[in-house]
Amino acid sequence: MVATELHASLFIGLGNMGRPMAINYAAGRELFVYDTNHVAAVEVATVTRSTALPDLEDIPAHVRTVILMLPNSRIVESVLRTSPGLLKRLPAGSLIIDMSSSEPESTASLAAEAAALGIDYVDAPVSGGVAKAKTAKLAIMMGGEITAVERAKRHLRHLGESITHVGPAGTGHAAKALNNLLSATNLAAAAEILSIAATVGIAPEKMLEVINGSTGRSQASEVKYPRHILTGTFDSGFAMDLMLKDLKIARNLIEQRSSEAPIVLTAQETAVKARELLEGPQPDHTEFVRYYEKLNGTPLRAG
Ligand code: NAD
């Protein structure tokens, strides 16, 4: 079924990422928004002149596209299968786009269930964090059937700068987890190098300047360290526990294939150890570096 302007969209999950994404997505379309935190839904609805649903029991009949930006696969499964079970509530011809960082196997199985009901299902996780969600410059990696992916692209072009279709349903989520494993490895590796540099008398901001003009640079060294770590703010908006979820998904992918990946797997194990040291319910993922500060006794802050 081809979406027309008579059809509306529903955006579910309005947290750190979903809120700015829903705001960008709302432009020029009829939108319903939902979050278990109803206050968050009302706030987004007010900004976008959309409608906050108090629950998902009575979805307006003309909703044909549902975008999910939820914490994990268990929650995605519950929303789609059981509570309230959107797969059974949406008409054939609908489109579901899961933009959360979910588990590839779960996604493949949900996509098969959706297909049996005549519903298109696409995984379209994102990279770039809250900053790029706000400026609609996310990198989006998609998995799904080509016709569903082309249909979903029309919805996602206002959210992302680069959109890459990587393969069948679930492969977008696999690509996302593998990217985040590399990203976390870069974050940890830079912490190790900055700590050692400090022991030879090179201040973290000086060493970072060297790295960012040299071949050792990465998004961690160019963005995370100057903005969120050397400042001591640790405010990227991406929780350590969400990062650990991604790393576990990537670890499972590696182990299921009996692949050898000693460096990235060590980074995942180190991140698990680092989490044990962190206090508070929702430490930011950039607080990973506190582990190295403790290990080496060298603070990674601008002097
Ligand atoms: P978040 O915890 O800030 O937001 C999640 C939202 O989902 C919350 O508002 C919560 O109330 C809502 N929610 C939970 N259960 C729900 C349910 N059953 N029905 C409706 N709403 C429900 O998380 P986030 O940082 O926005 O991340 C969302 C997803 O995006 C995660 O899968 C994460 O791994 C991924 N992601 C996050 C970032 C980032 O920088 N924060 C970057 C890329 C990808």
Side-chain angles (χ1 to χ4, degrees):
M1 181 183 295
V2 176
T4 73
E5 61 278 6
L6 298 175
H7 291 160
S9 298
L10 166 61
F11 200 113
I12 304 176
L14 305 163
N16 287 330
M17 292 295 286
R19 179 191 159 95
M21 288 165 66
I23 290 172
N24 289 330
Y25 179 64
R29 71 177 79 243
E30 186 182 2
L31 181 66
F32 295 88
V33 293
Y34 173 74
D35 193 295
T36 40
N37 174 0
H38 190 57
V39 174
V42 170
E43 272 174 25
V44 172
T46 306
V47 174
T48 57
R49 297 190 189 176
S50 56
T51 306
L53 297 179
D55 56 53
L56 292 176
E57 295 300 321
D58 294 306
I59 300 168
H62 62 306
V63 166
R64 287 290 182 283
T65 304
V66 176
I67 297 184
L68 307 172
M69 196 52 179
L70 293 164
N72 58 53
S73 281
R74 298 298 81 74
I75 295 176
V76 169
E77 287 162 2
S78 134
V79 166
L80 295 180
R81 286 194 181 122
T82 49
S83 175
L86 286 190
L87 280 174
K88 293 271 161 60
R89 288 167 189 260
L90 290 168
S94 297
L95 166 68
I96 297 174
I97 309 173
D98 181 16
M99 303 194 78
S100 333
S101 303
S102 306
E103 296 164 24
E105 284 178 0
S106 165
T107 302
S109 123
L110 286 167
E113 280 173 51
L117 295 162
I119 294 173
D120 283 335
Y121 197 99
V122 167
D123 43 316
V126 303
S127 181
V130 174
K132 298 225 167 175
K134 284 183 180 161
T135 54
K137 292 200 164 137
L138 290 163
I140 303 177
M141 45 223 99
M142 302 178 80
E145 295 295 327
I146 186 73
T147 47
V149 163
E150 288 306 318
R151 189 176 166 195
K153 276 185 185 169
R154 294 197 285 275
H155 290 268
L156 302 184
R157 59 171 187 248
H158 299 300
L159 300 180
E161 198 167 45
S162 90
I163 303 185
T164 310
H165 180 202
V166 292
T171 55
H173 283 144
K176 167 66 188 170
L178 292 171
N179 173 75
N180 275 23
L181 181 55
L182 179 57
S183 175
T185 305
N186 289 339
L187 179 68
E192 293 180 11
I193 295 305
L194 293 179
S195 302
I196 306 308
T199 66
V200 293
I202 306 169
E205 65 272 26
K206 277 289 152 206
M207 190 64 208
L208 204 61
E209 208 178 311
V210 170
I211 292 170
N212 285 338
S214 307
T215 50
R217 68 181 180 272
S218 63
Q219 191 268 356
S221 69
E222 290 182 331
V223 178
K224 290 179 185 174
Y225 278 86
R227 280 194 205 158
H228 310 295
I229 297 172
L230 265 56
T231 53
T233 52
F234 298 106
D235 57 352
S236 80
F238 180 40
M240 180 80 173
D241 289 337
L242 288 178
M243 184 188 86
L244 287 172
K245 172 200 65 174
D246 295 340
L247 303 195
K248 187 73 171 69
I249 294 171
R251 185 180 191 100
N252 289 343
L253 283 172
I254 293 166
E255 288 181 344
Q256 283 158 3
R257 282 152 191 81
S258 304
S259 302
E260 295 296 332
I263 291 176
V264 290
L265 288 181
T266 302
Q268 186 265 343
E269 286 154 21
T270 309
V272 171
K273 277 193 232 159
R275 177 66 182 94
E276 286 162 15
L277 288 181
L278 298 178
E279 288 163 7
Q282 283 281 17
D284 194 80
H285 81 292
T286 52
E287 296 193 54
F288 188 172
V289 308
R290 291 191 195 275
Y291 174 76
Y292 289 102
E293 293 182 322
K294 191 155 182 180
L295 215 58
N296 293 314
T298 45
L300 299 176
R301 298 288 181 286

PDB file of all heavy atoms in Angstrom, residues 211-224:
ATOM      1  N   ILE A 211      47.049  13.891  18.715  1.00  0.00           N
ATOM      2  CA  ILE A 211      46.295  12.777  18.101  1.00  0.00           C
ATOM      3  C   ILE A 211      45.365  13.298  17.007  1.00  0.00           C
ATOM      4  O   ILE A 211      45.280  12.725  15.917  1.00  0.00           O
ATOM      5  CB  ILE A 211      45.481  12.026  19.183  1.00  0.00           C
ATOM      6  CG1 ILE A 211      46.420  11.294  20.147  1.00  0.00           C
ATOM      7  CG2 ILE A 211      44.492  11.042  18.554  1.00  0.00           C
ATOM      8  CD1 ILE A 211      45.713  10.725  21.377  1.00  0.00           C
ATOM      9  N   ASN A 212      44.686  14.409  17.304  1.00  0.00           N
ATOM     10  CA  ASN A 212      43.685  14.900  16.350  1.00  0.00           C
ATOM     11  C   ASN A 212      44.303  15.520  15.093  1.00  0.00           C
ATOM     12  O   ASN A 212      43.616  15.739  14.104  1.00  0.00           O
ATOM     13  CB  ASN A 212      42.712  15.865  17.032  1.00  0.00           C
ATOM     14  CG  ASN A 212      41.734  15.104  17.910  1.00  0.00           C
ATOM     15  OD1 ASN A 212      41.517  13.903  17.703  1.00  0.00           O
ATOM     16  ND2 ASN A 212      41.172  15.767  18.907  1.00  0.00           N
ATOM     17  N   GLY A 213      45.606  15.771  15.132  1.00  0.00           N
ATOM     18  CA  GLY A 213      46.301  16.204  13.921  1.00  0.00           C
ATOM     19  C   GLY A 213      47.078  15.050  13.306  1.00  0.00           C
ATOM     20  O   GLY A 213      47.846  15.248  12.368  1.00  0.00           O
ATOM     21  N   SER A 214      46.876  13.859  13.843  1.00  0.00           N
ATOM     22  CA  SER A 214      47.696  12.710  13.404  1.00  0.00           C
ATOM     23  C   SER A 214      46.809  11.507  13.083  1.00  0.00           C
ATOM     24  O   SER A 214      45.583  11.603  13.101  1.00  0.00           O
ATOM     25  CB  SER A 214      48.686  12.326  14.511  1.00  0.00           C
ATOM     26  OG  SER A 214      49.440  13.449  14.913  1.00  0.00           O
ATOM     27  N   THR A 215      47.439  10.396  12.844  1.00  0.00           N
ATOM     28  CA  THR A 215      46.720   9.209  12.360  1.00  0.00           C
ATOM     29  C   THR A 215      45.970   8.446  13.458  1.00  0.00           C
ATOM     30  O   THR A 215      45.200   7.541  13.153  1.00  0.00           O
ATOM     31  CB  THR A 215      47.715   8.240  11.690  1.00  0.00           C
ATOM     32  OG1 THR A 215      48.818   8.060  12.594  1.00  0.00           O
ATOM     33  CG2 THR A 215      48.232   8.794  10.383  1.00  0.00           C
ATOM     34  N   GLY A 216      46.191   8.794  14.706  1.00  0.00           N
ATOM     35  CA  GLY A 216      45.494   8.068  15.778  1.00  0.00           C
ATOM     36  C   GLY A 216      44.101   8.597  16.054  1.00  0.00           C
ATOM     37  O   GLY A 216      43.393   8.071  16.918  1.00  0.00           O
ATOM     38  N   ARG A 217      43.666   9.603  15.323  1.00  0.00           N
ATOM     39  CA  ARG A 217      42.384  10.240  15.666  1.00  0.00           C
ATOM     40  C   ARG A 217      41.180   9.356  15.341  1.00  0.00           C
ATOM     41  O   ARG A 217      41.242   8.463  14.497  1.00  0.00           O
ATOM     42  CB  ARG A 217      42.249  11.589  14.977  1.00  0.00           C
ATOM     43  CG  ARG A 217      42.104  11.516  13.483  1.00  0.00           C
ATOM     44  CD  ARG A 217      41.999  12.928  12.895  1.00  0.00           C
ATOM     45  NE  ARG A 217      41.848  12.887  11.466  1.00  0.00           N
ATOM     46  CZ  ARG A 217      42.862  12.851  10.603  1.00  0.00           C
ATOM     47  NH1 ARG A 217      44.117  12.845  11.031  1.00  0.00           N
ATOM     48  NH2 ARG A 217      42.627  12.797   9.306  1.00  0.00           N
ATOM     49  N   SER A 218      40.081   9.638  16.045  1.00  0.00           N
ATOM     50  CA  SER A 218      38.811   8.919  15.858  1.00  0.00           C
ATOM     51  C   SER A 218      37.705   9.881  16.303  1.00  0.00           C
ATOM     52  O   SER A 218      37.999  10.969  16.830  1.00  0.00           O
ATOM     53  CB  SER A 218      38.773   7.662  16.736  1.00  0.00           C
ATOM     54  OG  SER A 218      38.822   8.046  18.102  1.00  0.00           O
ATOM     55  N   GLN A 219      36.469   9.451  16.159  1.00  0.00           N
ATOM     56  CA  GLN A 219      35.358  10.295  16.633  1.00  0.00           C
ATOM     57  C   GLN A 219      35.476  10.483  18.144  1.00  0.00           C
ATOM     58  O   GLN A 219      35.139  11.539  18.669  1.00  0.00           O
ATOM     59  CB  GLN A 219      34.018   9.659  16.249  1.00  0.00           C
ATOM     60  CG  GLN A 219      32.809  10.555  16.453  1.00  0.00           C
ATOM     61  CD  GLN A 219      32.160  10.372  17.831  1.00  0.00           C
ATOM     62  OE1 GLN A 219      32.558   9.523  18.616  1.00  0.00           O
ATOM     63  NE2 GLN A 219      31.150  11.181  18.105  1.00  0.00           N
ATOM     64  N   ALA A 220      36.013   9.469  18.837  1.00  0.00           N
ATOM     65  CA  ALA A 220      36.195   9.610  20.294  1.00  0.00           C
ATOM     66  C   ALA A 220      37.169  10.745  20.589  1.00  0.00           C
ATOM     67  O   ALA A 220      36.911  11.603  21.432  1.00  0.00           O
ATOM     68  CB  ALA A 220      36.695   8.294  20.891  1.00  0.00           C
ATOM     69  N   SER A 221      38.296  10.753  19.883  1.00  0.00           N
ATOM     70  CA  SER A 221      39.303  11.789  20.175  1.00  0.00           C
ATOM     71  C   SER A 221      38.851  13.161  19.678  1.00  0.00           C
ATOM     72  O   SER A 221      39.168  14.177  20.288  1.00  0.00           O
ATOM     73  CB  SER A 221      40.660  11.411  19.556  1.00  0.00           C
ATOM     74  OG  SER A 221      40.608  11.490  18.149  1.00  0.00           O
ATOM     75  N   GLU A 222      38.088  13.174  18.575  1.00  0.00           N
ATOM     76  CA  GLU A 222      37.700  14.479  18.002  1.00  0.00           C
ATOM     77  C   GLU A 222      36.483  15.089  18.679  1.00  0.00           C
ATOM     78  O   GLU A 222      36.341  16.313  18.720  1.00  0.00           O
ATOM     79  CB  GLU A 222      37.437  14.330  16.503  1.00  0.00           C
ATOM     80  CG  GLU A 222      38.718  14.080  15.736  1.00  0.00           C
ATOM     81  CD  GLU A 222      38.530  13.971  14.236  1.00  0.00           C
ATOM     82  OE1 GLU A 222      37.443  13.554  13.789  1.00  0.00           O
ATOM     83  OE2 GLU A 222      39.471  14.276  13.509  1.00  0.00           O
ATOM     84  N   VAL A 223      35.587  14.248  19.192  1.00  0.00           N
ATOM     85  CA  VAL A 223      34.336  14.784  19.751  1.00  0.00           C
ATOM     86  C   VAL A 223      34.179  14.446  21.236  1.00  0.00           C
ATOM     87  O   VAL A 223      33.991  15.326  22.076  1.00  0.00           O
ATOM     88  CB  VAL A 223      33.113  14.278  18.947  1.00  0.00           C
ATOM     89  CG1 VAL A 223      31.809  14.787  19.552  1.00  0.00           C
ATOM     90  CG2 VAL A 223      33.221  14.694  17.485  1.00  0.00           C
ATOM     91  N   LYS A 224      34.262  13.149  21.565  1.00  0.00           N
ATOM     92  CA  LYS A 224      33.922  12.748  22.944  1.00  0.00           C
ATOM     93  C   LYS A 224      34.905  13.331  23.964  1.00  0.00           C
ATOM     94  O   LYS A 224      34.485  13.829  25.012  1.00  0.00           O
ATOM     95  CB  LYS A 224      33.883  11.227  23.052  1.00  0.00           C
ATOM     96  CG  LYS A 224      32.690  10.654  22.301  1.00  0.00           C
ATOM     97  CD  LYS A 224      32.609   9.147  22.341  1.00  0.00           C
ATOM     98  CE  LYS A 224      31.453   8.699  21.458  1.00  0.00           C
ATOM     99  NZ  LYS A 224      31.371   7.263  21.316  1.00  0.00           N
TER     100      LYS A 224
END
